[in-house]
Amino acid sequence: MNQYLEFAIDLADRLQGQTGTNPSVGAVIVKNNRIIGFGAHLKKGESHAEIQALKMAGTQAEDATIYVSLEPCSHYGLTPPCSKAIIDSGIKSVVYAVKDQSLKNSGHEMLQEAGIEVSHEPSERAQALYNSFFQQQNTKLPFVTLKISTSMDGKVATDAKESKWITSKEVKQDVLNLRSQHDAIITGGMTVREDDPLLTTRSEELKDPKRIILTQQSDFNEELKIFKDENNPVIVMSDSNHFKVNENQNIEIVNKEGSNLKNVLYQLYEAGYAQIMVEAGPTLVSKFIEQDLVDQLIIYQAPKMIGGQGKYQYYQTNDVYPLSNSKLFKIISTEIIGGDLKIILRKK
Amino acid sequence: MNQYLEFAIDLADRLQGQTGTNPSVGAVIVKNNRIIGFGAHLKKGESHAEIQALKMAGTQAEDATIYVSLEPCSHYGLTPPCSKAIIDSGIKSVVYAVKDQSLKNSGHEMLQEAGIEVSHEPSERAQALYNSFFQQQNTKLPFVTLKISTSMDGKVATDAKESKWITSKEVKQDVLNLRSQHDAIITGGMTVREDDPLLTTRSEELKDPKRIILTQQSDFNEELKIFKDENNPVIVMSDSNHFKVNENQNIEIVNKEGSNLKNVLYQLYEAGYAQIMVEAGPTLVSKFIEQDLVDQLIIYQAPKMIGGQGKYQYYQTNDVYPLSNSKLFKIISTEIIGGDLKIILRKK
């Protein structure tokens, strides 16, 4: 793999989680083996990666090569097409890693027709960055990651309400990082009432996600910490028509149908939330799994056995499913973090 | 690590599971950079590794170096001490990987006093081979491995009795190999009655373990496959004083106390079973975990969710344990086999 294309992919990777329903893209411009410009798409509605890089390179861009993690766009969206800007800049050649299946007209062809050398150098790592973006183009649903912290035998709490202490502090830090890579976190009213969580990244260096609570009740206790931050109001979706915001609670009500999960997800995607993580208790977690709404599963398993008869297990359904009807995933990777096992799985 | 010592450790590794309560040991003899003899301990009561290697080397052993995975023994047991045989052979130097903590008199010193150069080159891999042996010297209990094949959410069966089909065929092969590395398999009467398993290695190339069934009932159906092999009779430990062996069943009754697990294990160790694997249903599995009798846990997790309310989960106790009382393990390794996750854990 070309080192400059690798750098462009690194940039795209670095910016994941802050471009909303847009893909995260990196671009690097090189002339005579020297990098003369680079950039990345920072936020939906703002400049694309190629434009940032061209701006840095200025007039030097003439006869240079631009490396981009994703095929340059060819359409007028919120910003003019990057392919046009590349042509106007006098760039000599374009190298990109992933073909943009969502483009009506190929950027590759548009550039080629303007006399630019274009080459597609496929990269698995870059492809993995855009899987969820391409999926969303079809489904119009956010990419949903379900995060579960559990004992080896599938329990997420004990009678002593110890759900926070099942996994290690290193796992907690990993979860804070995960939050920063998502546009929003969905949780359930019960989790908020029982655990009083913040669901932020607890770091000034990490971007906080939007926090979304699905509840069937009509208000929340005034003192809950999650509602205290006036700079980051919480979205509440309640099934109650009479949801009441108490004094000093920073809450936005956006929907009265918190229990129709697929509708909730359509609505969130339309509002620009493309990467969503679910951190919730067994009731909500089980609904997401049972309704096939989980694209990615991140399970932290602590090497301990809690036992019991079924209480506190993260996946609960009325009946035991036969294997032909069980929910299938594929293991993508495993890693040991602070003595616990992190397993990443994707919907099969 | 010295290549000859590595070879000696390989030999010890290769022979694991057939030396009973004796440690598996490999030995390699080298002279002028040529291997002139090697051997391993094949079976309790037969020659030790050093003796096998000395026999192959013959008179060439004089002035040679012997590499051994474990410190040569210094005591008269079922066979004369290896250290004496090494001294008598004229060997010039001895290199070993693991200090034998179970020796009353150090083999290292005995050799040194006879004028032989002795060096201890520690190896983590070799150390891992002898952990269970050293443990047994103290506890007089076999090393117990509990094997579980489960869905990601901890279920080992469905209403349609699909326990055999939860994990992949590659996992099944891995389990057959595991069986060959154990002196005996323990299972429960219920598993035998419901699944009619063989619990063999199904291969002429792999050693079959002794099969042991713990039951509270007083007989087994005549047709069960496990009792058909007259060359490998099954040990049944029943709580019933009137256990009845049916015609054509190859059964040895050795105990009337199948439900006192610790006693069962003491008795099996005394009878020479040092490496035992438990393959059973939730009732027996839960007893082994709850009574802290599991040294090693091998879990195969299929990336699927079966659901339900607690039925078929492999670990079932009357109450949910608080974390301070949960059963703790340590993750040793993970591996993906046929799309499923194999996790090896040790008691913490």
Side-chain angles (χ1 to χ4, degrees), chain A residues 162 301 303 308-309 313 317 329, chain B residues 301 303 308-309 313 317 323 329:
Chain A
E162 297 169 299
Q301 285 184 334
Q309 289 293 320
Q313 66 189 15
T317 59
F329 293 86
Chain B
Q301 285 184 332
Q309 290 292 319
Q313 65 189 14
T317 58
L323 288 184
F329 294 86

Side-chain angles (χ1 to χ4, degrees), chain B residues 66-82:
Chain B
I66 187 166
Y67 296 87
V68 201
S69 57
L70 182 68
E71 181 182 1
C73 67
S74 55
H75 59 279
Y76 283 85
L78 297 173
T79 57
C82 294

Side-chain angles (χ1 to χ4, degrees), chain A residues 57-75:
Chain A
T59 54
Q60 292 185 77
E62 199 166 345
D63 285 330
T65 298
I66 187 167
Y67 296 86
V68 201
S69 58
L70 182 68
E71 181 182 0
C73 68
S74 55
H75 60 279

Side-chain angles (χ1 to χ4, degrees), chain B residues 331-347:
Chain B
I331 299 169
I332 302 298
S333 69
T334 64
E335 185 186 351
I336 292 177
I337 297 186
D340 297 332
L341 185 58
K342 178 184 184 181
I343 314 172
I344 300 183
L345 305 101
R346 288 278 171 97
K347 184 192 274 185

Side-chain angles (χ1 to χ4, degrees), chain A residues 122-270:
Chain A
S123 143
E124 270 186 37
R125 183 164 77 102
Q127 188 66 46
L129 284 178
Y130 300 116
N131 282 340
S132 66
F133 168 67
F134 293 137
Q135 179 184 312
Q136 288 162 355
Q137 299 291 313
N138 296 322
T139 62
K140 303 295 174 198
L141 285 168
F143 186 85
V144 176
T145 294
L146 172 62
K147 173 240 136 187
I148 297 169
S149 289
T150 174
S151 64
M152 193 53 64
D153 61 329
K155 307 299 187 301
V156 294
T158 65
D159 288 331
K161 303 204 175 194
E162 297 169 299
S163 62
K164 285 179 200 166
W165 315 112
I166 290 175
T167 47
S168 64
K169 63 177 197 298
E170 291 84 350
V171 163
K172 281 185 188 57
Q173 185 56 51
D174 201 62
V175 170
L176 298 182
N177 291 336
L178 267 187
R179 284 181 189 154
S180 76
Q181 291 159 21
H182 287 85
D183 300 323
I185 308 293
I186 290 182
T187 193
M190 218 184 309
T191 298
V192 171
R193 288 181 184 94
E194 294 201 347
D195 298 350
D196 194 10
L198 270 173
L199 299 177
T200 61
T201 58
R202 293 178 202 198
S203 158
E204 290 190 1
E205 289 171 12
L206 295 173
K207 178 186 74 70
D208 277 330
K210 192 76 181 175
R211 296 159 301 166
I212 298 164
I213 304 172
L214 310 185
T215 182
Q216 270 143 48
Q217 298 192 31
S218 60
D219 77 335
F220 280 103
N221 180 306
E222 279 188 59
E223 294 310 313
L224 292 166
K225 285 185 285 193
I226 196 167
F227 304 117
K228 295 289 180 195
D229 184 354
E230 57 186 25
N231 295 317
N232 190 3
V234 174
I235 293 178
V236 171
M237 296 182 167
S238 167
D239 278 14
S240 162
N241 284 318
H242 312 289
F243 188 88
K244 184 173 153 276
V245 178
N246 290 306
E247 221 177 319
N248 295 325
Q249 286 185 329
N250 301 287
I251 289 180
E252 299 167 9
I253 311 279
V254 300
N255 183 295
K256 302 286 178 191
E257 263 200 305
S259 63
N260 183 331
L261 291 184
K262 201 153 184 179
N263 259 358
V264 162
L265 292 176
Y266 275 126
Q267 202 168 337
L268 290 174
Y269 183 74
E270 221 172 270

